[in-house]
Amino acid sequence: MARKKKISMQDIAEKLQISKNAVSLALQNKKGVSDELRLQVINTAKQLGYGHFAEKESLVSNILVIVPERIMSYQDNDHFQFFHDMIWGLEKSIRKKGLNAVITPIDQEMEKDLILPGVFKDIPYHGVILFGIVDKEYARLIWEMDIPLVILDSYYRDLSCPVVTSSNIEGACEAVSYLISEGHRDIGFIGPTNLTTSHEERWFGYWLAMQNHKLRINDLFCLKFSDGFHDTEKEIAAFLDGLEKMPSAFFCGNDRIAYILSQQLRQRNLLVPDDISIAGFDDLHYVEEAGLKMTTMRVEKAEVCDAAASLLLSITDRNRETVRVYVPPTLVVRESVRRVQSTN
C-alpha cells in the first residue's frame, strides 16, 4: 500500500496559486497577508490535511450556519416562528449527520461593512450554509472564499453556487390551480415580486397557473410590492379602496399578507370565504383574529433543512456550479376557500 503523501505548505501555495511565504505568514497569523487570504489559506490547510489543522478537523466537524440577526428576533417579525423552525431544523439535520451546527448571527452593520464573524478564524469548519435574505455583496464575499457553500431559502442568480429552496413556482401554481378547480376565474394577486427570488417565483407561479388555464390576469386585481413589507397594511387598504369591483379570490405571496387581507376585507363587511376566497403560502402557525384558518402551501421545512445539510456534505471543495435543489411544498386546504359556480 502506498504511503499517503505528506502535505506541505508548497501544496497549499500551488492550490491557491500564491507564494509559499504568503502561506507561512497566513498560517502563523502574521502581518503581510489580507484577512480574506488568511482565511483561504487556513481552510485549504484543513481541506488538504496539513499539520495540526488536519488534527483539529478530525476532532470536530463544524458547519457554520450564517443567519441575519433580524430574522432571529421576536420584535416586529411575523415570520419569527417560521425562521426559528428552519434554523433549528438545520441544527437537527446537521447533528443527525454527526456534525456540529454553529449558528452564527450577523447584524446589519456587519452585512453593510462586509465583516465576517470571528468563528471563521476561531474554529475549523467543513463549510457554510447561508440562510435567509442576505445582502448580495455579503453573500458574494462568502461565495468567493475557497470553502464549500450552500445558500438556503433565497439566492442570487448570478452567484453560481449550490442552492436549496422550496419549489415556489410549482407551489404557487398549485395553489392558484386549486382556486381555479373550485370555480374561481377572477383571481387577484397580492405580494412582493422582486424582493427575493422566492417571492418573484411565487408571482410567476400565479401567472403560470392563469396561463395554463387560459385565464386573463386583470392588472387591477394585482398589488405587487417592490420594496418589502413596510406599510403593507396601509397599501392593502388603499388597494382595496381603489377597486370598483372585487375578484372572487386572491392568491397572496405569503400567509402574513393573506391574513392582513382578510382583516381588511372584514373591515369592509366582506367575509372570507363567503364573499372572497384567499390562499397563501408558507403555512405560518397563527389564526386570523376572527378565527379564520388559511388555505396555504406548506413549506416542508424539515425536508428543506435536510436537503441543505446533505448537499453541503456532498461538496468536497469550492463549488461554482449552479446546483439547485427544490423541495416541493404541500397544499393544505382549510376554510378560507369556498367553491363557487363557474360562469364559464
Side-chain angles (χ1 to χ4, degrees):
M1 180 182 296
R3 292 182 61 187
K4 183 177 179 180
K5 177 187 174 184
K6 183 177 180 180
I7 301 299
S8 66
M9 283 193 287
Q10 185 62 41
D11 294 316
I12 299 172
E14 291 176 359
K15 181 174 176 61
L16 294 176
Q17 295 184 338
I18 59 176
S19 70
K20 182 178 176 181
N21 182 58
V23 173
S24 177
L25 292 174
L27 293 180
Q28 296 180 67
N29 201 27
K30 292 183 177 180
K31 295 180 179 180
V33 294
S34 67
D35 288 341
E36 182 180 354
L37 181 57
R38 192 185 316 280
L39 286 172
Q40 291 180 356
V41 170
I42 291 173
N43 284 314
T44 301
K46 295 172 187 174
Q47 292 166 11
L48 296 180
Y50 173 75
H52 70 279
F53 293 96
E55 295 172 2
K56 285 185 178 181
E57 189 70 15
S58 66
L59 291 173
V60 59
S61 292
N62 298 310
I63 290 179
L64 304 186
V65 179
I66 308 301
V67 185
E69 196 174 63
R70 58 185 173 273
I71 70 173
M72 298 178 71
S73 170
Y74 278 105
Q75 186 176 5
D76 193 28
N77 193 336
D78 290 295
H79 286 78
F80 172 81
Q81 188 62 51
F82 178 86
F83 291 128
H84 177 274
D85 291 347
M86 289 286 283
I87 292 168
W88 295 112
L90 269 174
E91 194 278 336
K92 182 178 179 180
S93 294
I94 292 169
R95 180 163 31 86
K96 285 173 61 177
K97 298 179 188 306
L99 291 92
N100 178 43
V102 181
I103 311 299
T104 307
I106 54 171
D107 59 31
Q108 291 183 335
E109 185 176 347
M110 292 173 71
E111 276 191 82
K112 178 182 176 182
D113 296 336
L114 303 181
I115 299 172
L116 293 171
V119 293
F120 276 85
K121 290 190 292 185
D122 295 341
I123 65 173
Y125 54 91
H126 173 84
V128 174
I129 294 178
L130 192 58
F131 172 60
I133 304 171
V134 180
D135 182 81
K136 182 177 180 179
E137 291 309 311
Y138 198 88
R140 186 185 301 279
L141 173 68
I142 299 177
W143 176 68
E144 290 179 345
M145 296 168 61
D146 194 17
I147 55 175
L149 169 68
V150 168
I151 297 181
L152 175 62
D153 187 50
S154 186
Y155 61 94
Y156 295 99
R157 291 188 174 87
D158 55 349
L159 295 182
S160 53
C161 68
V163 169
V164 175
T165 184
S166 185
S167 300
N168 293 293
I169 294 176
E170 292 79 2
C173 186
E174 182 177 357
V176 177
S177 295
Y178 171 70
L179 291 173
I180 295 169
S181 74
E182 292 298 292
H184 297 279
R185 295 298 178 265
D186 293 326
I187 302 173
F189 173 89
I190 300 180
T193 55
N194 63 0
L195 174 64
T196 67
T197 49
S198 60
H199 288 111
E200 178 184 284
E201 289 168 352
R202 292 175 190 183
W203 158 256
F204 182 68
Y206 160 80
W207 177 90
L208 184 62
M210 298 293 279
Q211 293 295 311
N212 288 345
H213 292 86
K214 296 181 171 52
L215 296 177
R216 184 179 69 89
I217 293 176
N218 187 337
D219 289 337
L220 296 177
F221 294 158
C222 296
L223 174 60
K224 295 178 282 185
F225 304 116
S226 60
D227 59 351
F229 304 117
H230 303 295
D231 297 322
T232 302
E233 186 172 346
K234 185 182 296 184
E235 290 187 57
I236 292 177
F239 168 71
L240 294 176
D241 289 341
L243 292 178
E244 294 183 2
K245 68 172 185 175
M246 293 282 182
S248 68
F250 280 101
F251 169 67
C252 298
N254 61 44
D255 286 344
R256 176 177 182 268
I257 292 171
Y259 281 108
I260 292 174
L261 173 61
S262 174
Q263 293 165 1
Q264 289 293 321
L265 288 172
R266 193 174 66 254
Q267 291 177 17
R268 290 158 179 77
N269 297 315
L270 294 170
L271 299 179
V272 179
D274 295 355
D275 299 309
I276 297 176
S277 293
I278 302 177
F281 208 115
D282 286 337
D283 194 24
L284 298 183
H285 296 296
Y286 57 72
V287 178
E288 197 259 354
E289 61 189 50
L292 178 71
K293 296 179 181 179
M294 194 65 64
T295 292
T296 187
M297 295 303 301
R298 176 191 296 137
V299 173
E300 299 296 349
K301 297 187 284 290
E303 286 81 354
V304 170
C305 291
D306 193 65
S310 296
L311 180 57
L312 184 68
L313 293 178
S314 73
I315 301 170
T316 57
D317 207 338
R318 184 183 187 187
N319 193 329
R320 283 187 170 273
E321 295 183 9
T322 303
V323 178
R324 292 185 188 147
V325 177
Y326 295 99
V327 179
T330 302
L331 176 66
V332 180
V333 176
R334 299 193 180 105
E335 61 192 46
S336 66
V337 175
R338 75 177 182 94
R339 185 168 184 79
V340 299
Q341 186 63 41
S342 173
T343 57
N344 290 358

